[in-house]
Amino acid sequence: MNPRGASLSVVDMQSAFEVAGVTMLADLSGALFWEEQRLLVVSDLHLEKGSSFAARGVLLPPYDTAATLSRLAAVIARHDPRMVIALGDSFHDERAHERLSAQDRAAIAALQGRRDWIWISGNHDPSLPSNLGGMVATEVAIGRIRFRHEPTGAVGEIAGHLHPKARVSTRGRAVERRCFASDGERAVMPAFGAYAGGLSIRDAAFAKLFGTAAFTAHLLGDKKLHTIAASRCY
């Protein structure tokens, strides 16, 4: 336990698990860090979701992009990656990038400075423009690991799209949190975006993906990650 007001160490804020024999560090922010490659991965930023909803008459505070980029800046500062991969649905719709403020564009450019950056296209943003900085790809393979937006269940795959979350009972109350879902051979990342929703890991989509309920949820807690068998979640 940390004393009230004490800062968390980097060790507290990350937890290691393997994907096809490769050790990855799950960060408390919802990012994934491959230390050997100095590679940081985030998924489902859903930038400009607030402005997308506003255009349809659903008024949300228009600060989701700034909040998401601020959290991303913090995790980049913590790990100092040489490469960042954004695993698709970085923007909430195909025109979301056009609604970015000048300040948010400058923030993205600053995050891209001195490092490689790859935008993976997703179902929300299938045709990313070339003026966002970095490169655009449909998927990326590094050694035995393949990064893509929509999971297929392939060994060595790290994907997003499903926005996994898990609910557990603790101290007589239910707690629901975003999580990483992995069985050691493949992993699905939590959504990183401030306004992104979630899908329960007990949904049939995860059973189909992993082929069994014997996989693990790495829950994003208040102060650390909690590793819990999916079968214990509900």
Side-chain angles (χ1 to χ4, degrees), residues 14-218:
Q14 59 194 30
S15 177
F17 65 84
E18 287 195 355
V19 177
V22 176
T23 300
M24 301 287 178
L25 294 176
D27 191 274
L28 187 59
S29 66
L32 195 64
F33 188 57
W34 186 353
E35 194 167 22
E36 182 182 18
Q37 296 287 335
R38 287 186 58 206
L39 168 63
L40 185 77
V41 188
V42 290
S43 187
D44 296 272
L45 303 178
H46 284 272
L47 301 177
E48 292 301 307
K49 182 173 182 176
S51 63
S52 178
F53 273 55
R56 290 178 282 160
V58 181
L59 299 182
L60 295 174
Y63 310 121
D64 58 304
T65 294
T68 299
L69 293 177
S70 177
R71 290 175 52 244
L72 183 53
V75 73
I76 285 176
R78 185 156 60 246
H79 293 286
D80 189 25
R82 67 170 184 84
M83 177 185 291
V84 173
I85 296 178
L87 274 189
D89 286 1
S90 298
F91 297 89
H92 190 66
D93 58 67
E94 292 189 69
R95 305 192 71 105
H97 60 91
E98 299 174 1
R99 302 194 301 274
L100 287 171
S101 68
Q103 184 176 359
D104 291 334
R105 286 183 180 277
I108 291 172
L111 295 177
Q112 293 174 333
R114 301 181 297 103
R115 57 182 52 89
D116 295 327
W117 192 284
I118 301 176
W119 302 100
I120 300 291
S121 55
N123 57 296
H124 278 256
D125 52 4
S127 301
L128 290 164
S130 59
N131 63 355
L132 290 171
M135 300 173 56
V136 176
T138 55
E139 59 181 54
V140 174
I142 301 177
R144 68 187 73 178
I145 305 299
R146 188 170 295 273
F147 302 92
R148 58 168 60 101
H149 178 61
E150 296 193 35
T152 66
V155 172
E157 176 181 82
I158 295 177
H161 182 60
L162 292 179
H163 299 203
K165 66 177 181 179
R167 177 178 292 183
V168 296
S169 180
T170 176
R171 297 175 183 174
R173 65 188 182 96
V175 176
E176 186 174 84
R177 295 296 172 89
R178 300 182 191 192
C179 66
F180 297 85
S182 178
D183 63 355
E185 296 293 342
R186 56 196 63 78
V188 182
M189 294 186 58
F192 195 87
Y195 284 176
L199 179 68
S200 170
I201 59 169
R202 299 305 299 271
D203 188 271
F206 290 96
K208 179 179 179 181
L209 178 65
F210 292 106
T212 174
F215 63 96
T216 301
H218 302 270

